[in-house]
């Protein structure tokens, strides 16, 4: 938990979101500025700044996210396929410094 982090505030409920899925590892909600008909954000409950800060202790979490992505895509009807994006650092276009995966589809 980082007091200044938007996604930590979404996880605690301090900032509202439109969740579609939660479990012990992640929360999944709709991106507020969607770039596709389906645009979800998969956000670990743990405050990890970016992929640069992922360590061996996060292996289970990261595998969990990878296996969750196709399930979420299927639930959203993205049977033709989907796109996943992880922006890392300001040079990678990251704006919210709490690790997250974009799931996009229905283009
Ligand atoms: P990134 O550039 O990878 O850090 O992506 C941050 C994403 O968070 C952008 O796609 C924003 O539209 C999205 N975003 C920012 N604020 C909110 C919010 N309050 N609820 C949902 N999505 C948000
Ligand atoms: Zn955070």
């Amino acid at each position: 938990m980082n007091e200044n982090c938007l996604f930590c505030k979404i996880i605690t409920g301090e900032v509202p979101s439109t969740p579609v899925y939660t479990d012990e590892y992640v929360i999944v909600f709709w991106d507020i500025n969607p770039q596709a008909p389906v645009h979800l954000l998969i956000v670990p409950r743990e405050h990890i700044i970016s992929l640069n800060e992922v360590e061996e202790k996060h292996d289970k979490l990261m595998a969990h996210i990878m296996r969750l992505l196709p399930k979420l895509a299927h639930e959203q009807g993205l049977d033709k396929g989907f796109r996943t994006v992880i922006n890392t650092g300001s040079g990678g276009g990251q704006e919210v410094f709490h690790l997250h995966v974009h799931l996009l589809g229905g283009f």
Side-chain angles (χ1 to χ4, degrees), residues 11-95:
I11 289 161
T12 62
E14 188 181 337
V15 170
S17 70
T18 316
V20 299
Y21 174 87
T22 64
D23 64 28
E24 62 180 303
Y25 290 106
V26 297
I27 175 168
V28 180
F29 51 88
W30 286 88
D31 195 293
I32 205 168
N33 183 22
Q35 304 299 308
V38 174
H39 188 169
L40 301 180
L41 299 175
I42 295 82
V43 181
R45 290 186 180 276
E46 180 179 342
H47 179 81
I48 304 167
I49 296 171
S50 78
L51 268 188
N52 282 328
E53 284 71 31
V54 170
E55 301 175 14
E56 191 173 354
K57 68 180 179 186
H58 300 119
D59 284 358
K60 200 167 177 190
L61 164 68
M62 298 307 286
H64 180 74
I65 291 172
M66 290 301 118
R67 298 216 327 111
L68 180 61
L69 288 162
K71 294 179 193 168
L72 292 166
H74 179 71
E75 277 175 20
Q76 294 296 328
L78 301 177
D79 296 328
K80 289 188 191 165
F82 58 93
R83 181 177 303 165
T84 47
V85 175
I86 305 175
N87 297 321
T88 303
S90 55
Q94 187 175 6
E95 292 178 354

Side-chain angles (χ1 to χ4, degrees), residues 1-2 5-9 11 46-48 97-98:
M1 171 74 191
N2 178 312
C5 171
L6 173 64
F7 286 174
C8 282
K9 289 180 183 170
I11 289 161
E46 180 179 342
H47 179 81
I48 304 167
F97 288 87
H98 180 136

